[in-house]
Amino acid sequence: MKLPVAPLLATATTVALLAVAAPAQAVTAGPHDASATNFGSQATCYGTTSRSYFQTGGWGGQAGPYRTSSRCVDINVRNASAFSTQACVIFIDQTSNCNYWTYLPANSNWTTIATNVRDGVNFKVRFSNSYYQYEPLVAYHAY
């Protein structure tokens, strides 16, 4: 079986660049990114996601801005980190405050952090950790 060298090299390069990048950098994961895809009935919603990477989890961070789409009715987050965190949505055209905090366990499944959000709404996702983390905070967003 022939191995896909180019995609593996691109992934390795992306991971290496993210390790030295700014603390909060979102990158788009494609529909074939197994770590970002849910193969259930909502595969269309999770088929294309954004990834946030904070080199050190610290007390948390903020990702975005993003804009909701017709792919999902809700804003969903999956915590891919080795530690738990909390997430909230900030609807930046309306406020600088969080909607409400949602707990995300370590290596969580997709979790809804805002429901019934209309299309075309600008938002950010804020993370808050219970204590200072020395490992990266990695999360995927579907919206």
Side-chain angles (χ1 to χ4, degrees):
M1 181 170 139
K2 193 172 185 180
L3 293 176
V5 177
L8 291 176
L9 180 59
T11 301
T13 304
T14 301
V15 170
L17 288 173
L18 286 173
V20 296
Q25 182 170 358
V27 295
T28 301
H32 301 293
D33 183 350
S35 63
T37 303
N38 178 329
F39 294 99
S41 62
Q42 297 180 17
T44 303
C45 179
Y46 301 131
T48 302
T49 63
S50 295
R51 177 180 180 256
S52 294
Y53 180 90
F54 302 84
Q55 189 169 0
T56 301
W59 296 105
Q62 195 164 275
Y66 304 113
R67 179 181 285 257
T68 57
S69 69
S70 60
R71 287 188 308 271
C72 302
V73 175
D74 304 325
I75 298 173
N76 304 280
V77 175
R78 186 176 69 83
N79 179 14
S81 302
F83 55 89
S84 63
T85 190
Q86 293 189 69
C88 73
V89 175
I90 303 167
F91 297 104
I92 57 178
D93 293 338
Q94 303 296 317
T95 184
S96 60
N97 297 322
C98 286
N99 60 341
Y100 52 84
W101 290 101
T102 301
Y103 175 76
L104 301 171
N107 298 306
S108 71
N109 291 321
W110 287 104
T111 303
T112 300
I113 61 172
T115 58
N116 298 319
V117 182
R118 68 180 196 275
D119 297 347
V121 173
N122 296 311
F123 70 96
K124 291 183 179 183
V125 178
R126 183 176 289 164
F127 298 94
S128 177
N129 304 324
S130 299
Y131 49 91
Y132 193 86
Q133 298 293 334
Y134 295 97
E135 297 181 21
L137 171 62
V138 181
Y140 291 91
H141 317 283
Y143 44 90

